[in-house]
């Protein structure tokens, strides 16, 4: 590194240190192929918008409790080293950086982060179930649909589909939890099947006393054979236990019998703990909370109503909200009026208001719109799981705003003496159940509008205080980056990058780029990573691979090999900079399933093998295996012409760099 370049990087490092909150706010430094990653003591002290304007910075975002600053391949290595030197701090591995980030969080933050990680994996299924449930509810109230055989049949199939997804939600949670905590995902599916087997009494029926429950006695302890339908917290807890047991037995059981004995022991011990410890404790805790909330509504007047509707949606997280059905039934038998239904309804719509409050503070974030809009639609039909798990819990402050809005709505329910004449539906469909006495229909609408507005307002205001940087702190793979204003361009949307020194083009033009693996050739815009898709690092192409090998796309020299083996930087014979990046977020694998066959400084001929990767195992870990080729630095006056998208074999022409 020459003196002029180092001086420039030192200035960048000084600016980053100042804007990140000072030397004492930086706990750890690392980098991947394109991004500088910082763990900060307090993210709120970092001025993200100002960092975007720092020399050579292409984008900034917060993800996975790391401040990630995009510089580009090659350049990020030098900037990271200069920054580490200026802080007298060693550059960390990505694994060590994650450990440092986790240590920075308190136990509550770690628990919420883990909860978010678990549910983001299964959000598409939850959203599908919620919207199908809403559609089923609407169709079920239309006489024409009910009287037409075909439409009735379609309505029933929709109802069955939505019910099935929610019915097996604990299985999905157990699967995602085991995966999140390092166990084999199939073991999560196994324990999830045990939780929901039809050999156990249905949990909802057992709560209402409509089914006989068998009780076993093991070591003198009673064990009720009741299923765990809706048992989200139980599924989370047993998923963690199963993951830890799976890891333990995989290490301790001798290899010669591991395949047979390890899964047997994991399943057996997990099952015993499920029925004898985790299940009863989880149920007992949630039932106790539920009983306290109901007592409050009956004895504490407006305070009890507000408290119930303020925290009722937290009971939904435990999955034991089905208990309210039995209580509502008893209320209707005893009094003919059900005051719990409108309380739950305003609690639901308040969480929807919180979703909109979060969205209002993040209108520039396309990922926020993608999550918030369908989540809010499902809330209108009384389904809050997408809103709770996809948005409000994930970003923390919206759940607080929603609970405050619910409490305010509960007070309105108390003062207007609002009640229902049935149970089972809420929010928009729930108006049909409202007791018309005392202007019940009008009061129902007023209570919901007030709860919605309060949830929106408090979530929005809390967002200004807690998330004023207006960046969605999404898990890796689910983030949205903001780009800097466009810089002078080279070629197709390629921002000039004064990183490694440019050449004037030493080879023949045009320069042909061939397929670097076999598979489906697509434009970089279709890759499921905003940094690549939005061309923050430059234009490019991608191939969804059908094999596990990456070849040189042209004659080139190797300029950079990531220690995580998933990315390689090349310099072509014509002086163009290329980055080959295999998979999305595969940096998290830390080299597992990758085998690199080249080293820095090595000269390659077109078609030379660069690396091997186990495509199936990477996909089984939940990673997108799309392989990207980014034109990080084009020679002066050149641009890229792509070939049409199609299925290609390694070595076929896919692009040409030409003047």
């Amino acid at each position: 590194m020459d003196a002029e370049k180092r001086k420039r990087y030192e200035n960048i490092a000084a600016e980053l240190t100042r804007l990140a909150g000072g030397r004492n706010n930086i706990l750890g430094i690392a980098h991947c192929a394109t991004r500088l990653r910082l763990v900060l003591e307090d993210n709120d002290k970092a001025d993200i918008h100002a960092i975007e304007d720092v020399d050579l910075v292409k984008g900034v975002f917060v993800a996975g409790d790391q401040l990630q600053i995009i510089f580009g391949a090659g350049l990020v290595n030098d900037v990271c080293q200069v920054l580490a030197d200026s802080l007298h701090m060693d550059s960390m591995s990505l694994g060590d950086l994650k450990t440092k980030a986790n240590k920075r969080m308190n136990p509550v933050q770690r628990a919420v982060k883990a909860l978010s990680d678990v549910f983001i994996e299964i959000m598409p299924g939850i959203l599908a179930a919620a919207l199908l449930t809403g559609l089923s509810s609407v169709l079920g109230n239309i006489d024409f649909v009910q009287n037409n055989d075909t439409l009735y049949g379609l309505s029933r199939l929709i109802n069955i589909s939505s019910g099935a997804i929610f019915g097996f939600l604990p299985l999905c949670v157990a699967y995602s939890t085991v995966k999140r905590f390092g166990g084999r995902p199939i073991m999560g599916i196994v324990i999830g099947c045990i939780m929901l087997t039809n050999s156990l009494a249905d949990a909802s029926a057992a709560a209402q006393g409509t089914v006989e429950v068998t009780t076993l006695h093991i070591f003198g302890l009673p064990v009720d054979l009741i299923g765990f339908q809706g048992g989200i917290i139980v599924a989370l807890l047993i998923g963690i236990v199963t993951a830890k047991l799976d890891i333990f037995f995989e290490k301790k059981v001798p290899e010669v019998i591991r395949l047979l004995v390890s899964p047997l022991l994991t399943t057996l011990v997990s099952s015993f703990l499920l029925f004898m410890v985790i299940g009863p404790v989880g149920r007992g805790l949630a039932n106790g909370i539920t009983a306290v909330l109901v007592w409050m509504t009956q004895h504490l007047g407006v305070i009890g109503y507000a408290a119930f509707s303020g925290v009722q949606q937290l009971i939904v997280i435990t999955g034991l909200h089905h208990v309210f059905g039995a209580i509502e039934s008893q209320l209707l038998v005893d009094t003919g009026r059900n005051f719990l239904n409108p309380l739950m309804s305003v609690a639901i719509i308040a969480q929807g208001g919180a979703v909109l409050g979060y969205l209002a503070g993040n209108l520039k974030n396309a990922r926020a719109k993608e999550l918030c809009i369908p989540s809010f639609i499902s809330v209108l039909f009384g389904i809050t799981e997408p809103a709770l798990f996809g948005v409000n819990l994930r970003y923390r402050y919206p759940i607080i705003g929603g609970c405050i809005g619910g409490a305010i709505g509960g007070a309105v329910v108390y003062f207007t003496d609002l009640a229902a004449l049935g149970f089972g539906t809420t929010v928009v469909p729930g108006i049909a159940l409202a007791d018309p006495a005392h202007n019940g229909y009008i009061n129902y609408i007023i209570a919901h509008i007030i709860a919605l507005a309060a949830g929106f307002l408090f979530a929005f205001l809390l967002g200004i205080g807690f998330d004023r940087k207006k960046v969605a702190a999404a898990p890796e793979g689910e983030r949205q980056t903001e780009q800097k204003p466009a810089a002078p361009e080279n070629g197709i949307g390629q921002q000039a990058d004064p990183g490694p020194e440019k050449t004037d083009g030493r080879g023949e033009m045009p320069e042909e780029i061939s397929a670097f693996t076999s598979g489906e050739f697509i434009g970089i815009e279709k890759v499921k990573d905003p940094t690549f898709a939005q061309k923050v690092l430059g234009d490019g192409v991608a191939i969804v691979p059908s094999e596990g090998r990456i070849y040189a796309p042209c004659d080139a020299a190797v300029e950079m090999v990531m220690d995580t083996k998933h990315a390689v930087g090349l310099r072509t014979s014509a002086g163009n900079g290329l980055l080959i990046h295999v998979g999305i977020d595969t940096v998290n694998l830390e080299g597992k399933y990758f085998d690199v066959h080249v080293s820095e400084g090595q000269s390659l001929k077109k078609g030379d093998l660069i690396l091997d990767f186990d495509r199936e195992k990477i996909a089984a870990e939940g990673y997108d295996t799309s392989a990207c080729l980014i034109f990080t630095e084009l020679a002066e006056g050149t641009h890229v012409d792509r070939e049409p998208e199609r299925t290609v074999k390694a070595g076929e022409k896919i692009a040409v760099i030409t003047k």
Side-chain angles (χ1 to χ4, degrees):
M1 187 187 308
D2 59 44
E4 182 179 351
K5 187 178 292 186
R6 184 172 184 87
K7 180 65 176 177
R8 186 178 189 182
Y9 294 165
E10 287 173 348
N11 291 336
I12 292 172
E15 278 292 281
L16 291 179
T17 301
R18 179 178 65 84
L19 295 173
R23 180 187 305 266
N24 293 333
N25 197 44
I26 300 176
L27 301 181
I29 307 170
H31 72 86
C32 60
T34 58
R35 305 174 180 102
L36 176 68
R37 299 169 182 242
L38 306 179
V39 172
L40 306 181
E41 178 72 32
D42 183 357
N43 287 338
D44 288 339
K45 292 182 179 179
D47 189 340
I48 285 184
H49 293 303
I51 292 175
E52 290 178 338
D53 295 325
V54 171
D55 186 22
L56 302 184
V57 171
K58 293 185 172 71
V60 185
F61 57 92
V62 176
D65 292 304
Q66 298 172 15
L67 178 64
Q68 301 193 14
I69 306 169
I70 303 171
F71 282 100
L75 176 61
V76 69
N77 304 51
D78 293 337
V79 172
C80 181
Q81 187 57 55
V82 172
L83 177 61
D85 291 344
S86 70
L87 296 174
H88 305 291
M89 181 184 294
D90 291 333
S91 178
M92 299 178 171
S93 70
L94 288 169
D96 290 340
L97 195 75
K98 287 184 181 179
T99 301
K100 176 71 76 173
N102 287 333
K103 287 181 178 179
R104 184 181 66 85
M105 295 185 287
N106 61 44
V108 174
Q109 290 174 321
R110 284 197 292 269
V112 172
K113 171 92 169 46
L115 193 68
S116 172
D117 291 345
V118 167
F119 281 96
I120 199 63
E121 176 85 7
I122 58 177
M123 272 307 299
I126 297 177
L127 279 170
L131 297 178
L132 286 172
T133 299
L135 181 59
S136 175
S137 177
V138 171
L139 295 176
N141 291 317
I142 300 176
D143 291 338
F144 176 73
V145 172
Q146 299 302 303
N147 295 329
N148 181 284
D149 289 344
T150 298
L151 294 178
Y152 173 76
L154 292 174
S155 176
R156 283 283 292 148
L157 289 178
I158 292 172
N159 180 265
I160 291 169
S161 299
S162 63
I165 298 172
F166 274 125
F168 285 90
L169 187 57
L171 185 151
C172 300
V173 172
Y175 155 81
S176 186
T177 304
V178 171
K179 181 178 178 181
R180 162 63 177 78
F181 286 92
R184 288 172 293 181
I186 186 61
M187 302 310 297
I189 294 176
V190 169
I191 199 66
C193 290
I194 294 170
M195 293 176 66
L196 302 176
T197 175
N198 57 12
S199 298
L200 303 173
D202 180 83
S204 181
Q208 298 177 32
T210 59
V211 66
E212 183 178 349
V213 177
T214 301
T215 301
L216 303 179
H217 292 85
I218 301 176
F219 302 122
L221 299 174
V223 178
D224 294 331
L225 298 184
I226 301 175
F228 296 91
Q229 291 80 9
I232 304 302
I233 292 298
V234 175
L236 281 166
L237 294 175
I238 196 62
I240 295 171
V241 169
T242 301
K244 300 303 181 184
L245 288 172
D246 188 41
I247 294 170
F248 175 79
F249 288 126
E250 279 291 291
K251 289 181 178 179
K252 298 300 182 181
V253 175
E255 186 174 358
V256 67
I257 58 172
R258 184 178 299 156
L259 182 61
L260 294 174
V261 176
S262 175
L264 168 66
L265 293 175
T266 298
T267 303
L268 192 61
V269 176
S270 297
S271 299
F272 285 163
L273 293 174
L274 171 66
F275 287 108
M276 300 185 68
V277 180
I278 293 174
V281 169
R283 280 189 176 130
L285 179 61
N287 284 331
I289 294 172
T290 302
V292 169
L293 290 175
V294 173
W295 179 87
M296 290 168 60
T297 61
Q298 294 174 332
H299 295 87
L300 299 182
V302 65
I303 296 175
Y305 272 59
F308 179 91
S309 56
V311 302
Q312 186 270 339
Q313 281 297 292
L314 301 181
I315 299 298
V316 173
I317 299 171
T318 71
L320 290 202
H321 51 293
H322 58 75
V323 173
F324 291 127
I327 300 170
E328 290 179 281
S329 299
Q330 193 62 48
L331 282 173
L332 289 170
V333 171
D334 293 343
T335 68
R337 302 176 83 239
N338 172 15
F339 66 88
L340 289 183
N341 181 269
L343 286 177
M344 291 187 287
S345 191
V346 295
I348 290 169
I349 197 66
Q351 294 297 332
V355 169
L356 295 182
Y358 172 80
L359 178 60
N362 294 272
L363 287 175
K364 295 182 180 179
N365 190 324
R367 181 58 179 164
K369 296 176 184 177
E370 182 182 334
L371 279 174
C372 292
I373 293 174
S375 294
F376 178 73
I377 292 173
S378 70
V379 164
L380 295 177
F381 298 102
I383 307 297
T384 51
E385 281 84 353
L388 288 174
F389 298 124
V391 181
N392 295 355
L393 269 174
R394 183 179 176 192
Y395 299 113
R396 301 170 191 169
Y397 66 80
I399 191 74
I400 301 172
C403 288
I404 296 173
I408 293 172
V412 176
V413 170
Y414 176 82
F415 287 120
T416 58
D417 194 25
L418 188 60
L421 300 178
F423 68 96
T425 58
T426 51
V427 195
V428 174
I431 194 172
L433 301 180
D435 185 352
H438 312 297
N439 298 315
Y441 294 131
I442 295 175
N443 289 332
Y444 186 92
I445 294 172
I446 291 173
H448 283 72
I449 291 175
I450 291 175
L452 174 70
F456 173 91
L457 180 63
F458 281 100
F460 183 77
L461 293 176
L462 287 170
I464 294 174
F466 293 170
D467 199 28
R468 58 182 177 270
K469 291 180 288 297
K470 301 296 183 185
V471 175
E476 187 83 15
E478 299 292 333
R479 58 188 180 271
Q480 179 71 24
T481 64
E482 295 182 23
Q483 296 188 45
K484 293 175 61 175
E489 294 183 345
N490 280 341
I492 307 175
Q494 170 64 25
Q495 294 184 1
D497 179 3
E501 294 181 359
K502 295 184 178 181
T503 63
D504 294 324
R506 299 178 297 276
E508 294 292 327
M509 285 292 178
E511 185 170 46
E512 181 177 303
I513 303 298
S514 57
F516 45 94
T517 188
S518 299
E520 288 297 315
F521 171 55
I522 59 175
I524 197 66
E525 306 85 5
K526 296 183 179 180
V527 173
K528 297 177 181 178
D529 182 289
T531 300
F532 293 143
Q534 295 179 5
K535 304 180 183 179
V536 175
L537 301 172
D539 198 8
V541 295
I543 297 176
V544 181
S546 58
E547 63 172 330
R549 291 191 164 198
I550 299 294
Y551 303 94
C554 59
D555 294 350
V558 179
E559 285 198 330
M560 180 272 296
V561 177
M562 279 297 297
D563 54 6
T564 47
K565 305 178 184 178
H566 73 295
V568 176
L570 305 176
R571 178 72 58 179
T572 72
S573 58
N576 298 299
L578 309 179
L579 171 68
I580 298 179
H581 189 289
V582 181
I584 306 302
D585 298 324
T586 45
V587 64
N588 297 327
L589 292 172
E590 299 183 346
K592 187 166 63 170
Y593 309 133
F594 289 92
D595 188 11
V596 177
H597 300 287
V598 298
S599 57
E600 293 182 9
Q602 181 177 341
S603 295
L604 301 176
K605 292 293 185 181
K606 172 184 171 181
D608 285 350
L609 180 63
I610 293 178
L611 63 86
D612 291 312
F613 61 100
D614 195 319
R615 185 170 58 92
E616 290 77 14
K617 289 184 179 179
I618 293 173
E621 293 266 7
Y623 292 94
D624 186 324
T625 59
S626 298
C628 304
L629 188 153
I630 310 299
F631 301 101
T632 56
E633 186 186 356
L634 294 174
E636 189 72 29
T638 62
H639 66 276
V640 178
D641 293 325
R642 301 182 197 166
E643 291 284 304
E645 296 183 0
R646 64 190 191 278
T647 301
V648 297
K649 291 184 178 179
E652 291 184 25
K653 183 172 76 170
I654 58 174
V656 175
I657 302 174
T658 185
K659 291 185 177 180

